[in-house]
């Protein structure tokens, strides 16, 4: 199973970016999908998570600015980031709980990370 993330880049404060992440390989089912981020010198933190039923949860610092969504048929999750701030600068990681067969449990996977830099 691989999680391929894309969409990072450099943007000015107040701008927008959309990250995407697709799960591929031996994917039978995907339950929880989410985005984490890690800024230099800081611990990795949860940004947003969405269940297979579409229930989303956000860290307080991004509420009202970021939107997480997913397409279950494509095993893909997006993170629409608006009104970006310099403090949003970090490496963003995709994360997902994936089942590889009908009878398997879910295993947790990480994407490779994509850099988001917001200039002031």
């Amino acid at each position: 199973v691989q999680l391929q993330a894309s969409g990072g880049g450099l943007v000015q404060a107040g701008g927008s970016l959309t990250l995407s992440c697709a799960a591929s390989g031996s994917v039978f089912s995907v339950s929880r999908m989410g985005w984490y981020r890690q800024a230099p010198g800081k611990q990795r933190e949860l940004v947003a998570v969405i269940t297979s039923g579409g229930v989303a949860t956000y860290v307080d610092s991004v509420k009202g600015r970021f939107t997480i969504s997913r397409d279950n048929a494509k095993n893909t999750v997006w993170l629409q980031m608006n009104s970006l701030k310099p403090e949003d600068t970090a490496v963003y990681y995709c994360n997902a709980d994936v089942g590889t067969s009908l009878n398997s449990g879910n295993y947790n996977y990480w994407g490779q990370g994509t850099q988001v830099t917001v200039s002031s």
Side-chain angles (χ1 to χ4, degrees), residues 1-5 21-24 27 29-36 44 46 48-52 68 70 72 74-78 93-100 105-112:
V1 174
Q2 298 85 37
L3 298 182
Q4 184 66 44
C21 175
S24 63
V27 177
S29 63
V30 183
S31 54
R32 175 182 173 278
M33 301 187 83
W35 291 93
Y36 289 71
R44 190 172 297 188
L46 175 66
V49 63
I50 186 168
T51 68
S52 57
I68 189 170
R70 65 186 286 172
N72 292 335
K74 296 180 179 179
N75 296 324
T76 300
V77 62
W78 295 273
Y93 296 91
C94 175
N95 181 268
D97 293 330
V98 179
T100 56
N106 285 338
Y107 295 90
N108 190 257
Y109 293 89
W110 290 94
Q112 83 281 16

Short mmCIF file of all heavy atoms in Angstrom, two decimals, residues 1-5 21-24 27 29-36 44 46 48-52 68 70 72 74-78 93-100 105-112:
data_model
loop_
_atom_site.label_atom_id
_atom_site.label_comp_id
_atom_site.label_asym_id
_atom_site.label_seq_id
_atom_site.Cartn_x
_atom_site.Cartn_y
_atom_site.Cartn_z
N VAL A 1 0.85 -1.18 0.00
CA VAL A 1 0.00 0.00 0.00
C VAL A 1 0.88 1.24 0.00
O VAL A 1 1.83 1.34 0.78
CB VAL A 1 -0.94 0.02 1.21
CG1 VAL A 1 -1.72 1.33 1.28
CG2 VAL A 1 -1.89 -1.18 1.18
N GLN A 2 0.55 2.18 -0.87
CA GLN A 2 1.28 3.45 -0.91
C GLN A 2 0.28 4.60 -0.82
O GLN A 2 -0.83 4.52 -1.34
CB GLN A 2 2.07 3.60 -2.22
CG GLN A 2 3.15 2.56 -2.45
CD GLN A 2 2.58 1.29 -3.07
OE1 GLN A 2 1.69 1.36 -3.90
NE2 GLN A 2 3.09 0.15 -2.65
N LEU A 3 0.70 5.65 -0.13
CA LEU A 3 -0.05 6.90 -0.08
C LEU A 3 0.78 7.94 -0.80
O LEU A 3 1.90 8.25 -0.38
CB LEU A 3 -0.32 7.34 1.35
CG LEU A 3 -1.16 6.42 2.23
CD1 LEU A 3 -1.36 7.03 3.61
CD2 LEU A 3 -2.50 6.12 1.59
N GLN A 4 0.25 8.45 -1.91
CA GLN A 4 0.98 9.42 -2.72
C GLN A 4 0.35 10.78 -2.52
O GLN A 4 -0.77 11.03 -2.97
CB GLN A 4 0.94 9.01 -4.19
CG GLN A 4 1.74 9.92 -5.10
CD GLN A 4 3.23 9.86 -4.83
OE1 GLN A 4 3.80 8.77 -4.65
NE2 GLN A 4 3.88 11.00 -4.79
N ALA A 5 1.10 11.66 -1.87
CA ALA A 5 0.61 13.02 -1.61
C ALA A 5 1.20 14.00 -2.60
O ALA A 5 2.34 13.83 -3.05
CB ALA A 5 0.96 13.43 -0.19
N CYS A 21 -4.12 13.23 -1.77
CA CYS A 21 -3.43 12.00 -1.40
C CYS A 21 -4.26 10.82 -1.84
O CYS A 21 -5.44 10.73 -1.50
CB CYS A 21 -3.21 11.97 0.11
SG CYS A 21 -2.49 10.43 0.73
N ALA A 22 -3.64 9.93 -2.58
CA ALA A 22 -4.34 8.75 -3.08
C ALA A 22 -3.69 7.49 -2.53
O ALA A 22 -2.45 7.37 -2.55
CB ALA A 22 -4.32 8.73 -4.60
N ALA A 23 -4.51 6.57 -2.07
CA ALA A 23 -4.02 5.28 -1.62
C ALA A 23 -4.08 4.30 -2.78
O ALA A 23 -5.08 4.22 -3.50
CB ALA A 23 -4.88 4.77 -0.46
N SER A 24 -3.00 3.55 -2.96
CA SER A 24 -2.93 2.61 -4.06
C SER A 24 -2.24 1.33 -3.60
O SER A 24 -1.66 1.27 -2.53
CB SER A 24 -2.20 3.22 -5.26
OG SER A 24 -0.86 3.51 -4.91
N VAL A 27 -5.28 -2.28 -1.79
CA VAL A 27 -6.27 -1.57 -0.99
C VAL A 27 -7.63 -2.23 -1.15
O VAL A 27 -8.17 -2.26 -2.25
CB VAL A 27 -6.35 -0.08 -1.39
CG1 VAL A 27 -7.43 0.62 -0.57
CG2 VAL A 27 -5.01 0.60 -1.20
N SER A 29 -10.11 -1.64 1.54
CA SER A 29 -10.98 -0.63 2.15
C SER A 29 -10.11 0.40 2.85
O SER A 29 -9.00 0.11 3.27
CB SER A 29 -11.94 -1.26 3.16
OG SER A 29 -11.22 -1.84 4.22
N VAL A 30 -10.64 1.61 2.93
CA VAL A 30 -9.95 2.69 3.63
C VAL A 30 -10.93 3.30 4.61
O VAL A 30 -12.00 3.75 4.21
CB VAL A 30 -9.43 3.77 2.67
CG1 VAL A 30 -8.65 4.84 3.45
CG2 VAL A 30 -8.55 3.15 1.58
N SER A 31 -10.60 3.29 5.87
CA SER A 31 -11.51 3.88 6.85
C SER A 31 -11.09 5.33 7.08
O SER A 31 -11.33 6.19 6.26
CB SER A 31 -11.55 3.06 8.12
OG SER A 31 -10.24 2.86 8.65
N ARG A 32 -10.46 5.63 8.15
CA ARG A 32 -10.05 6.97 8.49
C ARG A 32 -8.93 7.47 7.59
O ARG A 32 -7.98 6.75 7.32
CB ARG A 32 -9.59 6.96 9.94
CG ARG A 32 -9.01 8.20 10.52
CD ARG A 32 -8.60 7.88 11.94
NE ARG A 32 -7.88 8.92 12.59
CZ ARG A 32 -6.57 9.14 12.43
NH1 ARG A 32 -5.88 8.37 11.65
NH2 ARG A 32 -5.97 10.11 13.08
N MET A 33 -9.04 8.68 7.08
CA MET A 33 -7.99 9.34 6.32
C MET A 33 -7.76 10.71 6.94
O MET A 33 -8.72 11.36 7.38
CB MET A 33 -8.36 9.49 4.84
CG MET A 33 -8.65 8.18 4.13
SD MET A 33 -8.89 8.39 2.35
CE MET A 33 -7.18 8.40 1.79
N GLY A 34 -6.51 11.13 6.92
CA GLY A 34 -6.25 12.42 7.54
C GLY A 34 -4.96 13.06 7.09
O GLY A 34 -4.19 12.49 6.30
N TRP A 35 -4.76 14.26 7.58
CA TRP A 35 -3.56 15.04 7.29
C TRP A 35 -2.93 15.47 8.62
O TRP A 35 -3.63 15.94 9.52
CB TRP A 35 -3.88 16.27 6.46
CG TRP A 35 -4.31 15.96 5.07
CD1 TRP A 35 -5.57 15.79 4.61
CD2 TRP A 35 -3.44 15.76 3.95
NE1 TRP A 35 -5.55 15.50 3.27
CE2 TRP A 35 -4.25 15.49 2.84
CE3 TRP A 35 -2.05 15.80 3.77
CZ2 TRP A 35 -3.74 15.24 1.56
CZ3 TRP A 35 -1.54 15.56 2.51
CH2 TRP A 35 -2.37 15.28 1.42
N TYR A 36 -1.62 15.30 8.68
CA TYR A 36 -0.82 15.78 9.80
C TYR A 36 0.20 16.77 9.24
O TYR A 36 0.45 16.81 8.03
CB TYR A 36 -0.07 14.62 10.46
CG TYR A 36 -0.94 13.66 11.24
CD1 TYR A 36 -1.82 12.79 10.60
CD2 TYR A 36 -0.87 13.61 12.63
CE1 TYR A 36 -2.61 11.91 11.32
CE2 TYR A 36 -1.65 12.73 13.36
CZ TYR A 36 -2.51 11.88 12.70
OH TYR A 36 -3.28 11.01 13.42
N ARG A 44 4.92 16.50 15.28
CA ARG A 44 3.89 16.30 14.27
C ARG A 44 2.52 16.42 14.94
O ARG A 44 2.30 15.88 16.01
CB ARG A 44 4.04 14.93 13.61
CG ARG A 44 3.19 14.71 12.40
CD ARG A 44 3.53 13.40 11.70
NE ARG A 44 4.89 13.38 11.20
CZ ARG A 44 5.37 12.42 10.42
NH1 ARG A 44 4.60 11.42 10.04
NH2 ARG A 44 6.62 12.45 10.03
N LEU A 46 -1.90 16.53 14.34
CA LEU A 46 -3.05 16.24 13.50
C LEU A 46 -3.67 17.55 13.02
O LEU A 46 -3.93 18.44 13.83
CB LEU A 46 -4.08 15.42 14.27
CG LEU A 46 -5.40 15.13 13.55
CD1 LEU A 46 -5.18 14.24 12.35
CD2 LEU A 46 -6.39 14.51 14.52
N ALA A 48 -6.36 17.47 10.28
CA ALA A 48 -7.75 17.15 10.00
C ALA A 48 -7.86 15.67 9.70
O ALA A 48 -6.92 15.06 9.19
CB ALA A 48 -8.28 17.96 8.81
N VAL A 49 -9.00 15.11 10.02
CA VAL A 49 -9.26 13.70 9.76
C VAL A 49 -10.70 13.56 9.30
O VAL A 49 -11.57 14.34 9.70
CB VAL A 49 -8.97 12.84 11.00
CG1 VAL A 49 -9.91 13.21 12.15
CG2 VAL A 49 -9.06 11.36 10.69
N ILE A 50 -10.94 12.57 8.45
CA ILE A 50 -12.29 12.33 7.96
C ILE A 50 -12.56 10.84 7.94
O ILE A 50 -11.71 10.04 7.54
CB ILE A 50 -12.48 12.97 6.55
CG1 ILE A 50 -13.94 12.87 6.10
CG2 ILE A 50 -11.52 12.38 5.53
CD1 ILE A 50 -14.26 13.72 4.88
N THR A 51 -13.73 10.45 8.38
CA THR A 51 -14.11 9.05 8.39
C THR A 51 -14.64 8.65 7.01
O THR A 51 -14.89 9.50 6.15
CB THR A 51 -15.20 8.79 9.43
OG1 THR A 51 -16.41 9.44 9.01
CG2 THR A 51 -14.78 9.31 10.81
N SER A 52 -14.83 7.36 6.82
CA SER A 52 -15.37 6.88 5.55
C SER A 52 -16.80 7.39 5.34
O SER A 52 -17.26 7.50 4.20
CB SER A 52 -15.34 5.36 5.48
OG SER A 52 -16.06 4.81 6.58
N ILE A 68 -11.36 19.32 4.71
CA ILE A 68 -10.95 17.99 4.28
C ILE A 68 -12.12 17.30 3.60
O ILE A 68 -13.27 17.45 4.02
CB ILE A 68 -10.43 17.16 5.49
CG1 ILE A 68 -9.78 15.85 5.01
CG2 ILE A 68 -11.53 16.90 6.51
CD1 ILE A 68 -9.04 15.10 6.10
N ARG A 70 -13.08 13.67 0.78
CA ARG A 70 -12.57 12.42 0.25
C ARG A 70 -13.51 11.86 -0.79
O ARG A 70 -14.70 12.17 -0.83
CB ARG A 70 -12.34 11.41 1.36
CG ARG A 70 -13.60 10.96 2.07
CD ARG A 70 -13.27 10.05 3.25
NE ARG A 70 -12.86 8.73 2.84
CZ ARG A 70 -12.37 7.81 3.67
NH1 ARG A 70 -12.22 8.11 4.97
NH2 ARG A 70 -12.05 6.59 3.23
N ASN A 72 -14.39 8.07 -1.73
CA ASN A 72 -14.17 6.69 -1.32
C ASN A 72 -13.91 5.77 -2.51
O ASN A 72 -13.13 4.82 -2.39
CB ASN A 72 -15.37 6.17 -0.52
CG ASN A 72 -15.50 6.85 0.83
OD1 ASN A 72 -14.53 7.34 1.39
ND2 ASN A 72 -16.71 6.90 1.35
N LYS A 74 -12.30 6.47 -5.12
CA LYS A 74 -10.93 6.69 -5.63
C LYS A 74 -9.88 6.58 -4.53
O LYS A 74 -8.70 6.79 -4.78
CB LYS A 74 -10.84 8.08 -6.28
CG LYS A 74 -11.72 8.23 -7.51
CD LYS A 74 -11.58 9.62 -8.11
CE LYS A 74 -12.44 9.77 -9.36
NZ LYS A 74 -12.33 11.14 -9.95
N ASN A 75 -10.32 6.28 -3.30
CA ASN A 75 -9.39 6.18 -2.16
C ASN A 75 -8.51 7.42 -2.06
O ASN A 75 -7.29 7.33 -1.84
CB ASN A 75 -8.53 4.92 -2.26
CG ASN A 75 -9.35 3.65 -2.19
OD1 ASN A 75 -10.33 3.58 -1.46
ND2 ASN A 75 -8.97 2.66 -2.97
N THR A 76 -9.12 8.55 -2.24
CA THR A 76 -8.39 9.82 -2.29
C THR A 76 -8.95 10.80 -1.27
O THR A 76 -10.17 10.86 -1.06
CB THR A 76 -8.48 10.42 -3.69
OG1 THR A 76 -7.89 9.51 -4.63
CG2 THR A 76 -7.73 11.75 -3.76
N VAL A 77 -8.05 11.54 -0.65
CA VAL A 77 -8.43 12.58 0.30
C VAL A 77 -7.77 13.89 -0.12
O VAL A 77 -6.66 13.90 -0.66
CB VAL A 77 -8.00 12.19 1.75
CG1 VAL A 77 -6.50 12.05 1.88
CG2 VAL A 77 -8.55 13.17 2.77
N TRP A 78 -8.50 14.98 0.09
CA TRP A 78 -7.98 16.31 -0.24
C TRP A 78 -8.00 17.18 1.02
O TRP A 78 -8.82 16.98 1.92
CB TRP A 78 -8.86 16.99 -1.30
CG TRP A 78 -8.84 16.33 -2.62
CD1 TRP A 78 -7.96 16.55 -3.64
CD2 TRP A 78 -9.76 15.35 -3.10
NE1 TRP A 78 -8.28 15.76 -4.72
CE2 TRP A 78 -9.38 15.01 -4.42
CE3 TRP A 78 -10.88 14.71 -2.55
CZ2 TRP A 78 -10.06 14.07 -5.19
CZ3 TRP A 78 -11.55 13.78 -3.31
CH2 TRP A 78 -11.16 13.48 -4.61
N TYR A 93 1.69 15.60 5.94
CA TYR A 93 1.71 14.15 5.72
C TYR A 93 0.28 13.62 5.65
O TYR A 93 -0.55 13.93 6.50
CB TYR A 93 2.44 13.44 6.84
CG TYR A 93 3.90 13.79 6.96
CD1 TYR A 93 4.33 14.82 7.78
CD2 TYR A 93 4.86 13.06 6.26
CE1 TYR A 93 5.67 15.14 7.89
CE2 TYR A 93 6.21 13.37 6.37
CZ TYR A 93 6.61 14.41 7.19
OH TYR A 93 7.94 14.72 7.30
N CYS A 94 0.08 12.77 4.67
CA CYS A 94 -1.18 12.05 4.55
C CYS A 94 -1.10 10.79 5.40
O CYS A 94 -0.03 10.18 5.52
CB CYS A 94 -1.40 11.69 3.08
SG CYS A 94 -2.83 10.67 2.76
N ASN A 95 -2.22 10.41 5.98
CA ASN A 95 -2.27 9.23 6.84
C ASN A 95 -3.59 8.51 6.62
O ASN A 95 -4.62 9.16 6.43
CB ASN A 95 -2.14 9.66 8.31
CG ASN A 95 -2.15 8.49 9.26
OD1 ASN A 95 -3.19 8.09 9.76
ND2 ASN A 95 -0.98 7.92 9.50
N ALA A 96 -3.55 7.19 6.63
CA ALA A 96 -4.80 6.45 6.39
C ALA A 96 -4.76 5.08 7.05
O ALA A 96 -3.69 4.47 7.18
CB ALA A 96 -5.03 6.29 4.89
N ASP A 97 -5.92 4.63 7.46
CA ASP A 97 -6.11 3.28 7.97
C ASP A 97 -6.66 2.43 6.83
O ASP A 97 -7.78 2.68 6.36
CB ASP A 97 -7.07 3.26 9.16
CG ASP A 97 -6.49 3.97 10.37
OD1 ASP A 97 -5.25 3.96 10.53
OD2 ASP A 97 -7.27 4.54 11.16
N VAL A 98 -5.90 1.43 6.42
CA VAL A 98 -6.22 0.67 5.21
C VAL A 98 -6.37 -0.81 5.52
O VAL A 98 -5.53 -1.39 6.22
CB VAL A 98 -5.12 0.86 4.14
CG1 VAL A 98 -5.45 0.06 2.88
CG2 VAL A 98 -4.94 2.33 3.81
N GLY A 99 -7.42 -1.40 4.99
CA GLY A 99 -7.58 -2.84 5.03
C GLY A 99 -7.18 -3.42 3.68
O GLY A 99 -7.54 -2.87 2.64
N THR A 100 -6.44 -4.52 3.69
CA THR A 100 -5.92 -5.06 2.44
C THR A 100 -6.70 -6.27 1.93
O THR A 100 -6.45 -6.76 0.84
CB THR A 100 -4.43 -5.44 2.59
OG1 THR A 100 -4.31 -6.36 3.69
CG2 THR A 100 -3.59 -4.21 2.85
N GLY A 105 -7.36 -6.84 9.24
CA GLY A 105 -7.59 -5.65 10.05
C GLY A 105 -7.07 -4.44 9.29
O GLY A 105 -6.55 -4.56 8.18
N ASN A 106 -7.28 -3.27 9.89
CA ASN A 106 -6.75 -2.05 9.30
C ASN A 106 -5.33 -1.79 9.76
O ASN A 106 -5.01 -2.00 10.93
CB ASN A 106 -7.63 -0.85 9.69
CG ASN A 106 -8.94 -0.84 8.94
OD1 ASN A 106 -9.07 -1.43 7.88
ND2 ASN A 106 -9.92 -0.16 9.51
N TYR A 107 -4.52 -1.36 8.82
CA TYR A 107 -3.16 -0.98 9.15
C TYR A 107 -2.99 0.50 8.83
O TYR A 107 -3.59 1.02 7.88
CB TYR A 107 -2.16 -1.82 8.36
CG TYR A 107 -2.22 -3.28 8.73
CD1 TYR A 107 -3.07 -4.15 8.06
CD2 TYR A 107 -1.44 -3.79 9.77
CE1 TYR A 107 -3.15 -5.50 8.41
CE2 TYR A 107 -1.51 -5.13 10.12
CZ TYR A 107 -2.36 -5.97 9.44
OH TYR A 107 -2.43 -7.29 9.80
N ASN A 108 -2.15 1.16 9.58
CA ASN A 108 -1.94 2.59 9.42
C ASN A 108 -0.76 2.87 8.50
O ASN A 108 0.32 2.29 8.68
CB ASN A 108 -1.71 3.24 10.79
CG ASN A 108 -1.73 4.75 10.71
OD1 ASN A 108 -0.68 5.40 10.73
ND2 ASN A 108 -2.91 5.31 10.61
N TYR A 109 -0.97 3.74 7.53
CA TYR A 109 0.07 4.08 6.57
C TYR A 109 0.29 5.59 6.51
O TYR A 109 -0.66 6.37 6.73
CB TYR A 109 -0.32 3.59 5.17
CG TYR A 109 -0.36 2.09 5.05
CD1 TYR A 109 -1.53 1.38 5.33
CD2 TYR A 109 0.77 1.37 4.66
CE1 TYR A 109 -1.57 0.01 5.23
CE2 TYR A 109 0.73 -0.01 4.55
CZ TYR A 109 -0.44 -0.69 4.84
OH TYR A 109 -0.47 -2.05 4.74
N TRP A 110 1.51 5.96 6.14
CA TRP A 110 1.88 7.36 5.98
C TRP A 110 2.32 7.64 4.55
O TRP A 110 2.97 6.80 3.93
CB TRP A 110 3.04 7.74 6.90
CG TRP A 110 2.68 7.79 8.35
CD1 TRP A 110 2.81 6.77 9.25
CD2 TRP A 110 2.13 8.90 9.06
NE1 TRP A 110 2.37 7.20 10.49
CE2 TRP A 110 1.96 8.50 10.40
CE3 TRP A 110 1.78 10.20 8.71
CZ2 TRP A 110 1.44 9.35 11.38
CZ3 TRP A 110 1.27 11.04 9.67
CH2 TRP A 110 1.10 10.63 10.99
N GLY A 111 1.97 8.82 4.05
CA GLY A 111 2.51 9.28 2.79
C GLY A 111 3.89 9.89 3.00
O GLY A 111 4.39 9.98 4.12
N GLN A 112 4.49 10.34 1.90
CA GLN A 112 5.88 10.79 1.94
C GLN A 112 6.03 12.22 2.43
O GLN A 112 7.16 12.64 2.68
CB GLN A 112 6.52 10.65 0.55
CG GLN A 112 6.25 11.79 -0.41
CD GLN A 112 4.89 11.71 -1.07
OE1 GLN A 112 3.97 11.01 -0.67
NE2 GLN A 112 4.73 12.48 -2.14
#
